[in-house]
Amino acid sequence: MTDTTITPFRIDIPQEDLDELNFRLARTRWTDALPGVGWSYGVDRDYLIDLAEYWRTGYDWREHESRLNKVPQFLTEIDGQTVHFMHVRSPEPDATPLIITHGWPSTPADFLDILGPLTDPRAYGGDPADAFHVVAPSVPGFGFSGPTHETGWDVPRIARTWATLMERLGYERYGAQGGDYGSLISPALGRVAPDKVIGVHVNALADAATATGSGRELDDLSEADRAKAVANQMWWYGHNGYATQMALRPQTIAYALNDSPVGQLAWNLEWFVDWDPTATDQAPVDRDIILTDVTTYWLTGTAGSAARIYRESGASWGSRPAPSGVPTAVANFRGDRAVRGLAESANTIVRWNEYAVGGHFASLQAPVELVADIRDFFRSVVG
């Protein structure tokens, strides 16, 4: 018999685990670095030394643990996997259920600043009709969902798990939102449960930046979209090292990530800082947020299992998912590279907005604009 129990969860990390982390940070064996190369060879050494020292002496896990524990959290088991999730019900009884999904190298902690405005717009000067009951799970293999224990945890399987979770919570009709890998999982949820998902909203849409392997899709694009897709492909050639490693040999990098906190921090910074924080025009991500995500991975031993999502989903790389009839909205923030013509080949795009602010992690870099875009979209599909 399937265990459908939902258990309240509270984060309570043993002090000896935090002491051991600090012990390792204090004894980091630093590699050399070439003079004058900055970020062009990878994460800048001086930047990393400074951030690691702050992690050891300035960052307060207990402060962030307490902040996370103010949000109702739960554990349940679905398809043999522990699933951790935040569940914040709105004070508005007619609120729309919404499941929001993070990507790599994130956790649901990235959503803390948008939970209030989404669930209680009245308290933030908004229209109570825009309220949501928010479910924010940790992707299997990430953080407090713990490591996965078998192969096969790809995007469709995660989407099926989310459908089961929402059913278990009693939500018959709901919306889905996500960025990065969440921008793949949320549309997949619409394909898995089209009779349940009223609409899909994504940012940092990850599978609509470049043409598929054959490249024939380029012929069907407008001149502007074709030029953007070609430029994106050239950009990706210079930035995909981290993804290629995790998609092909995640176990190899897992040993280093699980043994060295600074190594894990550097690996996560590959994406969090957009390669060179001195050159990017994206909004910076607060270092405490970065360290909360990294510390969560470290304390749960899930840096390696989180990396496996790239391997598990690798079979679908270079192909377009089946078309979805669920109304879909895309918010492209600064630095996002989704091409509308490519997105439309697999999604029913009813809304597309380009923003000159923010960045890849919109809930952290443009929370006000993201919340407004989510509200506006679901206002149009809830009826």
Side-chain angles (χ1 to χ4, degrees):
M1 178 178 290
T2 302
D3 184 359
T4 61
T5 304
I6 296 175
T7 305
F9 175 74
R10 181 176 177 82
I11 305 168
D12 186 14
I13 300 300
Q15 185 58 43
E16 54 263 34
D17 290 357
L18 300 177
D19 293 341
E20 195 256 356
L21 169 59
N22 282 342
F23 178 88
R24 287 174 177 260
L25 287 170
R27 287 156 181 79
T28 299
R29 190 174 73 156
W30 291 99
T31 186
D32 69 313
L34 294 173
V37 299
W39 289 75
S40 63
Y41 277 55
V43 172
D44 179 76
R45 184 175 184 268
D46 291 341
Y47 181 97
L48 186 61
I49 289 174
D50 179 69
L51 185 56
E53 181 62 15
Y54 173 72
W55 192 6
R56 186 179 72 86
T57 63
Y59 173 80
D60 183 355
W61 166 259
R62 294 300 187 198
E63 174 188 337
H64 295 280
E65 182 182 72
S66 175
R67 186 177 180 223
L68 286 164
N69 279 332
K70 291 177 181 177
V71 180
Q73 298 174 68
F74 304 87
L75 299 177
T76 194
E77 183 179 313
I78 302 174
D79 195 10
Q81 172 68 36
T82 297
V83 175
H84 161 265
F85 61 99
M86 297 176 176
H87 184 198
V88 186
R89 289 191 59 84
S90 172
E92 308 296 339
D94 296 327
T96 301
L98 178 69
I99 184 167
I100 59 177
T101 307
H102 65 86
W104 185 90
S106 296
T107 71
D110 287 14
F111 301 133
L112 289 180
D113 285 342
I114 66 173
L115 290 177
L118 287 175
T119 58
D120 192 7
R122 188 193 303 266
Y124 291 81
D127 185 344
D130 291 329
F132 298 92
H133 301 305
V134 174
V135 179
S138 294
V139 171
F142 288 66
F144 295 108
S145 281
T148 49
H149 302 292
E150 59 183 1
T151 61
W153 278 100
D154 58 5
V155 165
R157 186 174 180 180
I158 296 168
R160 293 192 296 271
T161 299
W162 280 192
T164 299
L165 175 61
M166 294 302 275
E167 180 181 13
R168 192 169 293 180
L169 292 172
Y171 293 132
E172 292 297 319
R173 295 275 287 164
Y174 49 87
Q177 200 284 327
D180 190 83
Y181 253 98
S183 77
L184 308 182
I185 295 166
S186 298
L189 178 56
R191 295 181 179 93
V192 166
D195 57 329
K196 304 288 187 181
V197 179
I198 60 176
V200 173
H201 182 285
V202 296
N203 60 282
L205 180 56
D207 66 348
T210 59
T212 54
S214 68
R216 288 194 295 269
E217 287 179 312
L218 293 176
D219 297 336
D220 298 326
L221 298 179
S222 68
E223 184 176 346
D225 277 359
R226 188 182 310 119
K228 185 176 181 180
V230 171
N232 286 344
Q233 186 67 60
M234 296 304 296
W235 181 90
W236 186 235
Y237 282 148
H239 291 76
N240 69 3
Y242 79 99
T244 300
Q245 175 67 41
M246 293 192 291
L248 297 178
R249 309 288 286 178
Q251 189 64 34
T252 301
I253 193 65
Y255 299 115
L257 299 180
N258 201 60
D259 189 61
S260 169
V262 166
Q264 184 192 301
L265 175 61
W267 191 252
N268 287 28
L269 285 173
E270 283 282 330
W271 208 234
F272 255 130
V273 298
D274 190 37
W275 294 82
D276 184 352
T278 67
T280 183
D281 55 2
Q282 293 189 28
V285 178
D286 183 85
R287 61 182 180 176
D288 272 34
I289 295 296
I290 294 173
L291 291 175
T292 295
D293 284 338
V294 172
T295 306
T296 298
Y297 283 31
W298 177 263
L299 295 172
T300 57
T302 56
S305 60
R308 288 199 290 263
I309 193 172
Y310 283 79
R311 173 62 185 256
E312 302 297 347
S313 301
S316 62
W317 284 29
S319 62
R320 204 66 66 202
S324 169
V326 176
T328 301
V330 177
N332 252 11
F333 290 90
R334 184 180 290 277
D336 287 339
R337 298 177 180 274
V339 177
R340 181 162 187 167
L342 296 177
E344 287 177 336
S345 67
N347 304 280
T348 301
I349 305 296
V350 299
R351 177 185 173 92
W352 186 282
N353 280 333
E354 301 275 350
Y355 290 92
V357 297
H360 185 81
F361 302 92
S363 65
L364 303 175
Q365 296 170 295
V368 173
E369 291 81 3
L370 177 63
V371 167
D373 206 273
I374 293 170
R375 288 174 177 171
D376 288 347
F377 168 62
F378 282 103
R379 192 182 303 131
S380 71
V381 296
V382 173

